[in-house]
Amino acid sequence: MKMQKKNFAIIMFTNFLVAGSTTMIMPFLSLYIESLGTYTEEYVQRWAGLVFGVTFVAALIMSPVWGRIADKYGYKPILVINGLGIAVSIYLMGTAGSVHELFFIRLFMGLVTGFIPTSLAFVSSQTPKEIAGRTLGTLQMGSVSGTLFGPVIGGLMADTFGFKYTFIITALVIGTAALLVLFGIKEVKRLKTKDAHVYARKTIIQGILHHRLLINVMVITSLIQIGTFSIQPLLSLYVSHLVEGSSQVAFLAGVTFSATGVGNLLFARRWGRLGDSIGYERVLGFLLVLAFAFIIPQAFVNELWQLIALRILFGIAVGGMIPTTTALMRREAPVEIQGEVMGYNTSFRFLGNIIGPMFGGIVSGFIGIPAVFIVTGLLFLISFAFLRYTLKRPEQDFEDVLLEQELKSM
Protein backbone atom coordinates (compact mmCIF):
# COMPACT_ATOMS: atom_id res chain seq x y z
CA MET A 1 0.00 0.00 0.00
CA LYS A 2 2.87 2.39 0.83
CA MET A 3 4.46 1.72 -2.57
CA GLN A 4 1.12 2.35 -4.33
CA LYS A 5 0.77 5.70 -2.55
CA LYS A 6 4.30 6.65 -3.59
CA ASN A 7 3.58 5.61 -7.19
CA PHE A 8 0.37 7.64 -7.19
CA ALA A 9 2.08 10.76 -5.80
CA ILE A 10 4.83 10.59 -8.44
CA ILE A 11 2.37 9.98 -11.28
CA MET A 12 0.17 12.88 -10.16
CA PHE A 13 3.17 15.23 -9.95
CA THR A 14 4.59 14.15 -13.32
CA ASN A 15 1.12 14.57 -14.88
CA PHE A 16 1.18 18.15 -13.60
CA LEU A 17 4.63 18.71 -15.15
CA VAL A 18 3.78 17.10 -18.50
CA ALA A 19 0.34 18.72 -18.88
CA GLY A 20 1.71 22.10 -17.86
CA SER A 21 4.75 21.86 -20.13
CA THR A 22 2.93 20.65 -23.25
CA THR A 23 0.38 23.46 -22.94
CA MET A 24 3.11 26.08 -22.38
CA ILE A 25 3.78 26.24 -26.12
CA MET A 26 0.13 26.60 -27.18
CA PRO A 27 -0.22 30.38 -26.62
CA PHE A 28 2.64 31.24 -28.99
CA LEU A 29 2.53 28.40 -31.56
CA SER A 30 1.15 30.62 -34.33
CA LEU A 31 3.62 33.39 -33.39
CA TYR A 32 6.47 30.89 -33.61
CA ILE A 33 5.34 29.82 -37.10
CA GLU A 34 5.22 33.49 -38.07
CA SER A 35 8.85 33.88 -36.93
CA LEU A 36 10.04 31.09 -39.26
CA GLY A 37 9.57 33.14 -42.40
CA THR A 38 7.62 35.88 -44.17
CA TYR A 39 4.10 34.49 -44.43
CA THR A 40 0.60 35.82 -44.94
CA GLU A 41 -1.85 35.74 -42.04
CA GLU A 42 -3.95 33.08 -43.79
CA TYR A 43 -0.87 30.88 -44.30
CA VAL A 44 0.08 31.13 -40.61
CA GLN A 45 -3.47 30.33 -39.45
CA ARG A 46 -3.75 27.33 -41.80
CA TRP A 47 -0.40 25.86 -40.78
CA ALA A 48 -1.04 26.55 -37.09
CA GLY A 49 -4.11 24.31 -37.38
CA LEU A 50 -2.19 21.61 -39.28
CA VAL A 51 0.80 21.68 -36.92
CA PHE A 52 -1.48 21.51 -33.88
CA GLY A 53 -3.73 18.76 -35.27
CA VAL A 54 -1.14 16.39 -36.76
CA THR A 55 0.04 15.37 -33.27
CA PHE A 56 -3.44 14.05 -32.44
CA VAL A 57 -3.68 12.18 -35.77
CA ALA A 58 -0.47 10.25 -35.03
CA ALA A 59 -1.49 9.72 -31.39
CA LEU A 60 -4.86 8.32 -32.47
CA ILE A 61 -3.09 5.60 -34.48
CA MET A 62 -0.44 4.80 -31.86
CA SER A 63 -2.52 4.71 -28.66
CA PRO A 64 -3.74 1.09 -29.04
CA VAL A 65 -0.23 0.00 -30.08
CA TRP A 66 1.31 1.46 -26.90
CA GLY A 67 -1.53 -0.09 -24.91
CA ARG A 68 -0.83 -3.55 -26.32
CA ILE A 69 2.90 -3.18 -25.61
CA ALA A 70 2.08 -2.05 -22.05
CA ASP A 71 -0.06 -5.15 -21.50
CA LYS A 72 2.96 -7.27 -22.41
CA TYR A 73 5.89 -5.38 -20.86
CA GLY A 74 4.29 -3.08 -18.28
CA TYR A 75 3.25 0.58 -18.21
CA LYS A 76 6.44 2.01 -16.71
CA PRO A 77 8.63 1.51 -19.84
CA ILE A 78 5.93 3.15 -21.99
CA LEU A 79 5.68 6.13 -19.62
CA VAL A 80 9.47 6.63 -19.78
CA ILE A 81 9.58 6.27 -23.60
CA ASN A 82 6.67 8.68 -24.04
CA GLY A 83 8.10 11.21 -21.58
CA LEU A 84 11.57 11.24 -23.17
CA GLY A 85 10.03 11.21 -26.67
CA ILE A 86 7.91 14.29 -25.92
CA ALA A 87 10.94 16.03 -24.37
CA VAL A 88 13.08 15.38 -27.48
CA SER A 89 10.22 16.50 -29.77
CA ILE A 90 9.74 19.81 -27.96
CA TYR A 91 13.50 20.46 -27.96
CA LEU A 92 13.60 19.81 -31.73
CA MET A 93 10.68 22.21 -32.24
CA GLY A 94 12.99 24.97 -31.05
CA THR A 95 15.50 24.06 -33.78
CA ALA A 96 13.01 23.93 -36.67
CA GLY A 97 14.12 25.96 -39.68
CA SER A 98 10.80 25.91 -41.55
CA VAL A 99 7.10 25.25 -41.07
CA HIS A 100 7.45 21.89 -42.81
CA GLU A 101 10.16 20.78 -40.38
CA LEU A 102 7.94 21.84 -37.49
CA PHE A 103 5.05 19.84 -38.98
CA PHE A 104 7.10 16.62 -39.14
CA ILE A 105 8.49 17.16 -35.63
CA ARG A 106 4.92 17.49 -34.33
CA LEU A 107 4.02 14.34 -36.28
CA PHE A 108 6.82 12.47 -34.50
CA MET A 109 5.62 13.93 -31.20
CA GLY A 110 2.23 12.36 -31.87
CA LEU A 111 3.84 8.92 -32.11
CA VAL A 112 5.03 9.24 -28.50
CA THR A 113 2.16 11.35 -27.11
CA GLY A 114 0.38 9.25 -24.54
CA PHE A 115 2.01 9.95 -21.20
CA ILE A 116 -1.16 11.11 -19.45
CA PRO A 117 -3.53 8.43 -20.88
CA THR A 118 -0.91 5.76 -20.09
CA SER A 119 -0.55 7.09 -16.55
CA LEU A 120 -4.33 6.80 -16.15
CA ALA A 121 -4.16 3.17 -17.32
CA PHE A 122 -1.18 2.50 -15.02
CA VAL A 123 -2.91 3.85 -11.91
CA SER A 124 -6.14 2.10 -12.90
CA SER A 125 -4.34 -1.25 -13.19
CA GLN A 126 -2.86 -0.82 -9.69
CA THR A 127 -6.15 0.29 -8.11
CA PRO A 128 -8.99 -1.93 -6.77
CA LYS A 129 -12.15 -1.65 -8.90
CA GLU A 130 -14.16 -0.43 -5.90
CA ILE A 131 -12.24 2.87 -5.62
CA ALA A 132 -11.14 3.33 -9.26
CA GLY A 133 -13.40 6.34 -9.89
CA ARG A 134 -12.25 8.28 -6.82
CA THR A 135 -8.57 7.51 -7.50
CA LEU A 136 -8.72 8.45 -11.19
CA GLY A 137 -10.67 11.61 -10.36
CA THR A 138 -7.95 12.63 -7.90
CA LEU A 139 -5.26 11.84 -10.47
CA GLN A 140 -6.94 14.07 -13.03
CA MET A 141 -6.42 17.01 -10.68
CA GLY A 142 -2.68 16.85 -11.50
CA SER A 143 -3.09 17.18 -15.26
CA VAL A 144 -5.86 19.78 -14.96
CA SER A 145 -3.71 21.92 -12.64
CA GLY A 146 -0.87 21.76 -15.18
CA THR A 147 -3.23 22.73 -18.00
CA LEU A 148 -4.45 25.73 -16.00
CA PHE A 149 -1.00 27.14 -15.26
CA GLY A 150 0.89 25.97 -18.38
CA PRO A 151 -0.38 28.53 -20.95
CA VAL A 152 0.16 31.45 -18.56
CA ILE A 153 3.72 30.37 -17.65
CA GLY A 154 4.50 29.58 -21.29
CA GLY A 155 3.39 33.03 -22.45
CA LEU A 156 5.47 34.74 -19.76
CA MET A 157 8.54 32.61 -20.59
CA ALA A 158 8.26 33.31 -24.32
CA ASP A 159 8.13 37.06 -23.63
CA THR A 160 11.07 36.86 -21.18
CA PHE A 161 13.42 34.29 -22.75
CA GLY A 162 12.25 34.00 -26.36
CA PHE A 163 10.83 30.99 -28.20
CA LYS A 164 14.02 28.91 -28.44
CA TYR A 165 14.86 28.92 -24.73
CA THR A 166 11.21 28.31 -23.81
CA PHE A 167 11.32 25.10 -25.87
CA ILE A 168 14.57 24.06 -24.15
CA ILE A 169 13.20 24.72 -20.65
CA THR A 170 9.97 22.89 -21.48
CA ALA A 171 11.89 19.88 -22.80
CA LEU A 172 14.03 19.76 -19.64
CA VAL A 173 10.92 19.79 -17.42
CA ILE A 174 9.31 16.90 -19.31
CA GLY A 175 12.62 15.01 -19.34
CA THR A 176 12.74 15.44 -15.55
CA ALA A 177 9.22 13.97 -15.31
CA ALA A 178 10.36 10.92 -17.33
CA LEU A 179 13.37 10.43 -15.05
CA LEU A 180 11.14 10.67 -11.96
CA VAL A 181 9.07 7.81 -13.35
CA LEU A 182 12.19 5.82 -14.27
CA PHE A 183 13.80 6.02 -10.83
CA GLY A 184 10.80 6.64 -8.57
CA ILE A 185 8.08 4.28 -9.80
CA LYS A 186 7.94 0.61 -8.94
CA GLU A 187 5.41 -1.27 -11.03
CA VAL A 188 3.72 -4.34 -9.60
CA LYS A 189 3.85 -6.76 -12.49
CA ARG A 190 0.73 -8.78 -13.10
CA LEU A 191 1.50 -12.47 -12.77
CA LYS A 192 0.13 -14.37 -15.73
CA THR A 193 -1.18 -17.85 -15.05
CA LYS A 194 -0.29 -20.73 -17.33
CA ASP A 195 -3.82 -20.85 -18.68
CA ALA A 196 -4.06 -17.06 -19.19
CA HIS A 197 -5.78 -16.34 -22.48
CA VAL A 198 -3.97 -14.38 -25.19
CA TYR A 199 -6.30 -12.44 -27.48
CA ALA A 200 -5.36 -11.42 -31.00
CA ARG A 201 -5.67 -7.73 -31.89
CA LYS A 202 -8.45 -8.54 -34.39
CA THR A 203 -10.41 -10.36 -31.68
CA ILE A 204 -10.13 -7.41 -29.28
CA ILE A 205 -11.32 -4.94 -31.95
CA GLN A 206 -14.25 -7.18 -32.89
CA GLY A 207 -15.04 -7.70 -29.21
CA ILE A 208 -15.21 -3.95 -28.59
CA LEU A 209 -17.41 -3.44 -31.67
CA HIS A 210 -19.83 -6.15 -30.48
CA HIS A 211 -19.90 -5.07 -26.82
CA ARG A 212 -22.66 -2.46 -26.73
CA LEU A 213 -21.54 -0.67 -23.57
CA LEU A 214 -17.83 -0.40 -24.47
CA ILE A 215 -18.30 0.79 -28.05
CA ASN A 216 -21.01 3.28 -27.07
CA VAL A 217 -18.91 4.67 -24.21
CA MET A 218 -15.99 5.09 -26.64
CA VAL A 219 -18.24 6.94 -29.09
CA ILE A 220 -19.52 9.07 -26.20
CA THR A 221 -15.89 9.78 -25.22
CA SER A 222 -15.29 11.11 -28.74
CA LEU A 223 -18.46 13.23 -28.65
CA ILE A 224 -17.42 14.65 -25.25
CA GLN A 225 -14.07 15.75 -26.71
CA ILE A 226 -15.75 17.23 -29.79
CA GLY A 227 -18.07 19.16 -27.51
CA THR A 228 -15.21 20.37 -25.31
CA PHE A 229 -12.78 21.31 -28.11
CA SER A 230 -15.27 22.79 -30.62
CA ILE A 231 -15.45 26.14 -28.82
CA GLN A 232 -11.85 26.44 -27.58
CA PRO A 233 -10.30 28.07 -30.71
CA LEU A 234 -13.25 30.50 -30.85
CA LEU A 235 -13.47 31.44 -27.19
CA SER A 236 -11.12 34.44 -27.41
CA LEU A 237 -13.17 35.87 -30.30
CA TYR A 238 -16.38 35.39 -28.33
CA VAL A 239 -14.84 37.13 -25.31
CA SER A 240 -13.69 40.03 -27.51
CA HIS A 241 -17.30 40.63 -28.58
CA LEU A 242 -18.46 40.65 -24.94
CA VAL A 243 -15.75 43.12 -23.82
CA GLU A 244 -15.56 45.21 -26.99
CA GLY A 245 -13.14 48.10 -26.58
CA SER A 246 -11.23 46.54 -23.67
CA SER A 247 -7.43 46.61 -23.77
CA GLN A 248 -7.19 43.33 -21.81
CA VAL A 249 -8.91 40.95 -24.22
CA ALA A 250 -6.08 38.38 -24.17
CA PHE A 251 -5.99 38.28 -20.36
CA LEU A 252 -9.78 38.06 -20.04
CA ALA A 253 -9.87 35.29 -22.68
CA GLY A 254 -7.26 33.39 -20.64
CA VAL A 255 -9.35 33.75 -17.47
CA THR A 256 -12.44 32.50 -19.33
CA PHE A 257 -10.50 29.60 -20.79
CA SER A 258 -9.21 28.62 -17.35
CA ALA A 259 -12.66 28.80 -15.75
CA THR A 260 -13.57 25.37 -17.12
CA GLY A 261 -10.44 23.91 -15.56
CA VAL A 262 -11.32 25.43 -12.18
CA GLY A 263 -14.70 23.67 -12.17
CA ASN A 264 -13.01 20.50 -13.36
CA LEU A 265 -10.44 20.69 -10.58
CA LEU A 266 -13.02 21.21 -7.84
CA PHE A 267 -15.28 18.25 -8.59
CA ALA A 268 -13.37 15.52 -10.51
CA ARG A 269 -12.61 13.51 -7.36
CA ARG A 270 -16.17 13.83 -6.05
CA TRP A 271 -17.73 12.53 -9.26
CA GLY A 272 -15.31 9.60 -9.24
CA ARG A 273 -16.21 8.75 -5.64
CA LEU A 274 -19.94 8.95 -6.48
CA GLY A 275 -19.38 6.61 -9.45
CA ASP A 276 -17.74 4.09 -7.13
CA SER A 277 -20.86 4.23 -4.94
CA ILE A 278 -23.84 4.30 -7.32
CA GLY A 279 -22.39 3.15 -10.66
CA TYR A 280 -20.36 4.87 -13.37
CA GLU A 281 -23.14 4.69 -15.97
CA ARG A 282 -25.57 6.63 -13.76
CA VAL A 283 -22.98 9.33 -12.98
CA LEU A 284 -21.95 9.63 -16.64
CA GLY A 285 -25.59 10.02 -17.72
CA PHE A 286 -26.18 12.73 -15.11
CA LEU A 287 -23.00 14.60 -16.13
CA LEU A 288 -24.00 14.57 -19.81
CA VAL A 289 -27.38 16.16 -18.97
CA LEU A 290 -25.62 18.65 -16.67
CA ALA A 291 -23.15 19.61 -19.44
CA PHE A 292 -26.09 20.16 -21.81
CA ALA A 293 -27.83 22.36 -19.24
CA PHE A 294 -24.75 24.53 -18.63
CA ILE A 295 -23.45 24.96 -22.19
CA ILE A 296 -26.66 26.07 -23.94
CA PRO A 297 -27.03 29.34 -21.92
CA GLN A 298 -23.48 30.33 -22.92
CA ALA A 299 -24.87 31.21 -26.37
CA PHE A 300 -27.11 33.92 -24.87
CA VAL A 301 -24.86 35.75 -22.38
CA ASN A 302 -24.51 39.54 -22.49
CA GLU A 303 -21.74 40.00 -19.92
CA LEU A 304 -18.37 38.32 -19.47
CA TRP A 305 -19.03 37.39 -15.83
CA GLN A 306 -22.05 35.37 -16.97
CA LEU A 307 -19.90 33.42 -19.43
CA ILE A 308 -17.19 32.78 -16.80
CA ALA A 309 -19.75 31.53 -14.26
CA LEU A 310 -21.29 29.17 -16.83
CA ARG A 311 -17.83 27.94 -17.90
CA ILE A 312 -17.06 27.03 -14.27
CA LEU A 313 -20.36 25.11 -14.02
CA PHE A 314 -19.65 23.43 -17.36
CA GLY A 315 -16.19 22.45 -16.06
CA ILE A 316 -17.81 20.86 -13.01
CA ALA A 317 -19.87 18.64 -15.31
CA VAL A 318 -17.09 17.77 -17.77
CA GLY A 319 -14.57 17.16 -14.96
CA GLY A 320 -16.08 13.83 -14.00
CA MET A 321 -16.43 12.37 -17.48
CA ILE A 322 -12.89 11.16 -18.20
CA PRO A 323 -12.28 9.44 -14.81
CA THR A 324 -15.78 7.93 -15.00
CA THR A 325 -15.31 6.47 -18.49
CA THR A 326 -11.79 5.25 -17.61
CA ALA A 327 -13.06 3.54 -14.45
CA LEU A 328 -15.80 1.93 -16.51
CA MET A 329 -13.19 0.52 -18.92
CA ARG A 330 -11.24 -0.72 -15.90
CA ARG A 331 -14.32 -2.57 -14.68
CA GLU A 332 -15.28 -4.17 -18.00
CA ALA A 333 -11.95 -5.12 -19.61
CA PRO A 334 -10.04 -8.28 -18.57
CA VAL A 335 -6.81 -7.32 -16.79
CA GLU A 336 -4.64 -8.95 -19.51
CA ILE A 337 -5.85 -6.51 -22.20
CA GLN A 338 -6.73 -3.40 -20.21
CA GLY A 339 -3.91 -1.35 -21.72
CA GLU A 340 -5.01 -2.07 -25.28
CA VAL A 341 -8.70 -1.46 -24.54
CA MET A 342 -7.88 1.85 -22.87
CA GLY A 343 -5.64 2.62 -25.84
CA TYR A 344 -8.64 2.36 -28.18
CA ASN A 345 -10.63 4.59 -25.83
CA THR A 346 -7.77 7.11 -25.95
CA SER A 347 -7.88 6.95 -29.76
CA PHE A 348 -11.54 7.95 -29.65
CA ARG A 349 -10.57 10.85 -27.36
CA PHE A 350 -7.90 12.02 -29.81
CA LEU A 351 -10.40 11.67 -32.68
CA GLY A 352 -12.66 14.09 -30.82
CA ASN A 353 -9.70 16.44 -30.30
CA ILE A 354 -9.15 16.48 -34.07
CA ILE A 355 -12.79 16.86 -35.13
CA GLY A 356 -13.79 19.36 -32.41
CA PRO A 357 -11.92 22.50 -33.60
CA MET A 358 -12.83 21.83 -37.26
CA PHE A 359 -16.47 21.20 -36.31
CA GLY A 360 -16.63 24.42 -34.28
CA GLY A 361 -15.02 26.39 -37.11
CA ILE A 362 -17.51 25.09 -39.69
CA VAL A 363 -20.56 25.76 -37.49
CA SER A 364 -19.36 29.27 -36.53
CA GLY A 365 -18.56 30.03 -40.17
CA PHE A 366 -22.13 29.28 -41.25
CA ILE A 367 -24.29 30.43 -38.32
CA GLY A 368 -22.01 32.25 -35.86
CA ILE A 369 -20.13 31.49 -32.65
CA PRO A 370 -23.20 31.38 -30.33
CA ALA A 371 -24.59 28.54 -32.44
CA VAL A 372 -21.51 26.42 -31.58
CA PHE A 373 -22.65 26.29 -27.93
CA ILE A 374 -26.13 25.14 -28.98
CA VAL A 375 -24.93 22.47 -31.42
CA THR A 376 -22.36 21.29 -28.88
CA GLY A 377 -25.11 21.03 -26.27
CA LEU A 378 -27.05 18.78 -28.63
CA LEU A 379 -23.99 16.50 -28.89
CA PHE A 380 -24.07 15.97 -25.11
CA LEU A 381 -27.80 15.24 -25.34
CA ILE A 382 -27.20 12.73 -28.16
CA SER A 383 -24.50 11.10 -26.01
CA PHE A 384 -27.00 10.76 -23.16
CA ALA A 385 -29.51 9.15 -25.54
CA PHE A 386 -26.80 6.68 -26.70
CA LEU A 387 -26.07 5.75 -23.10
CA ARG A 388 -29.75 5.34 -22.14
CA TYR A 389 -30.37 3.13 -25.17
CA THR A 390 -27.38 0.95 -24.30
CA LEU A 391 -28.36 0.51 -20.65
CA LYS A 392 -31.87 -0.67 -21.63
CA ARG A 393 -30.38 -3.59 -23.58
CA PRO A 394 -29.33 -6.86 -21.89
CA GLU A 395 -25.93 -6.76 -20.13
CA GLN A 396 -22.94 -8.39 -21.83
CA ASP A 397 -19.82 -9.89 -20.29
CA PHE A 398 -16.83 -8.65 -22.29
CA GLU A 399 -14.88 -11.90 -21.90
CA ASP A 400 -17.86 -13.86 -23.27
CA VAL A 401 -18.03 -11.49 -26.25
CA LEU A 402 -14.28 -11.91 -26.88
CA LEU A 403 -14.51 -15.70 -26.82
CA GLU A 404 -17.52 -15.59 -29.13
CA GLN A 405 -15.62 -13.47 -31.65
CA GLU A 406 -12.59 -15.71 -31.36
CA LEU A 407 -14.68 -18.78 -32.19
CA LYS A 408 -16.20 -17.00 -35.20
CA SER A 409 -12.76 -16.19 -36.61
CA MET A 410 -11.55 -19.79 -36.43
Side-chain angles (χ1 to χ4, degrees):
M1 185 61 70
K2 187 176 180 181
M3 182 187 66
Q4 288 179 339
K5 286 182 178 179
K6 180 187 173 186
N7 286 349
F8 181 82
I10 291 172
I11 289 292
M12 189 170 179
F13 181 62
T14 53
N15 268 4
F16 171 78
L17 293 179
V18 171
S21 299
T22 51
T23 54
M24 277 182 190
I25 62 175
M26 290 301 105
F28 60 83
L29 190 60
S30 57
L31 297 175
Y32 182 59
I33 291 171
E34 204 170 35
S35 73
L36 295 175
T38 306
Y39 307 120
T40 64
E41 189 175 340
E42 288 181 1
Y43 183 91
V44 171
Q45 289 175 353
R46 182 170 68 250
W47 274 99
L50 290 170
V51 166
F52 178 77
V54 72
T55 302
F56 293 122
V57 174
L60 181 152
I61 297 166
M62 284 300 297
S63 289
V65 177
W66 288 123
R68 191 172 182 85
I69 296 170
D71 286 330
K72 188 172 183 180
Y73 298 106
Y75 293 103
K76 180 178 173 178
I78 307 306
L79 285 168
V80 174
I81 291 169
N82 283 342
L84 293 176
I86 295 170
V88 170
S89 301
I90 289 179
Y91 171 77
L92 291 175
M93 285 172 66
T95 67
S98 68
V99 179
H100 300 97
E101 279 184 36
L102 185 62
F103 177 85
F104 284 110
I105 292 167
R106 291 279 298 178
L107 176 64
F108 169 75
M109 184 175 170
L111 300 178
V112 291
T113 292
F115 186 94
I116 290 173
T118 303
S119 69
L120 279 170
F122 169 72
V123 170
S124 176
S125 70
Q126 309 278 305
T127 304
K129 291 183 180 181
E130 302 77 35
I131 59 168
R134 181 181 66 190
T135 305
L136 293 168
T138 306
L139 178 62
Q140 189 175 329
M141 292 168 66
S143 57
V144 171
S145 300
T147 305
L148 282 174
F149 295 113
V152 177
I153 296 170
L156 290 171
M157 285 172 57
D159 287 339
T160 306
F161 305 114
F163 298 134
K164 182 177 179 180
Y165 287 106
T166 300
F167 283 120
I168 293 172
I169 294 167
T170 304
L172 288 172
V173 171
I174 297 178
T176 301
L179 293 176
L180 278 172
V181 171
L182 179 62
F183 296 109
I185 291 289
K186 185 174 182 182
E187 183 172 4
V188 179
K189 295 291 177 68
R190 297 189 295 265
L191 296 175
K192 293 186 178 180
T193 57
K194 291 182 180 179
D195 57 346
H197 204 91
V198 179
Y199 295 101
R201 183 178 300 163
K202 182 181 177 183
T203 301
I204 295 172
I205 294 172
Q206 289 176 336
I208 291 170
L209 292 174
H210 286 85
H211 191 275
R212 286 184 296 271
L213 182 60
L214 281 183
I215 186 59
N216 277 323
V217 168
M218 288 184 183
V219 171
I220 288 169
T221 299
S222 196
L223 290 174
I224 290 167
Q225 294 302 105
I226 293 171
T228 305
F229 274 72
S230 61
I231 195 61
Q232 285 190 3
L234 306 166
L235 202 57
S236 57
L237 292 173
Y238 194 53
V239 168
S240 69
H241 292 311
L242 292 174
V243 294
E244 198 168 351
S246 172
S247 59
Q248 295 182 303
V249 174
F251 171 73
L252 294 172
V255 171
T256 308
F257 184 85
S258 297
T260 307
V262 172
N264 194 317
L265 192 63
L266 291 173
F267 274 80
R269 177 183 170 86
R270 297 182 186 186
W271 292 127
R273 183 188 296 159
L274 187 62
D276 293 333
S277 302
I278 67 172
Y280 305 118
E281 296 92 336
R282 292 176 67 181
V283 171
L284 180 59
F286 178 69
L287 292 177
L288 289 167
V289 173
L290 212 59
F292 168 77
F294 290 142
I295 199 169
I296 294 291
Q298 293 177 44
F300 305 103
V301 298
N302 298 311
E303 302 287 342
L304 181 62
W305 69 265
Q306 297 170 340
L307 179 63
I308 291 173
L310 288 167
R311 293 301 292 176
I312 291 173
L313 293 172
F314 178 68
I316 288 172
V318 173
M321 292 181 184
I322 291 176
T324 300
T325 53
T326 305
L328 199 151
M329 297 285 161
R330 162 79 175 89
R331 188 192 70 195
E332 295 294 323
V335 68
E336 302 85 17
I337 59 169
Q338 271 185 16
E340 187 167 356
V341 171
M342 288 189 183
Y344 286 114
N345 189 50
T346 301
S347 291
F348 274 88
R349 280 178 61 189
F350 284 135
L351 180 63
N353 292 355
I354 296 164
I355 296 173
M358 294 189 293
F359 176 77
I362 292 168
V363 171
S364 66
F366 280 104
I367 45 180
I369 294 176
V372 178
F373 293 106
I374 297 170
V375 176
T376 296
L378 293 176
L379 287 180
F380 287 112
L381 205 58
I382 291 167
S383 299
F384 175 73
F386 267 140
L387 186 62
R388 290 287 295 173
Y389 170 78
T390 304
L391 295 179
K392 286 182 179 179
R393 304 292 299 277
E395 287 187 22
Q396 295 172 291
D397 185 281
F398 189 42
E399 288 192 78
D400 291 342
V401 174
L402 288 169
L403 291 172
E404 183 184 334
Q405 297 306 313
E406 197 168 54
L407 288 171
K408 283 182 180 179
S409 63
M410 286 182 176

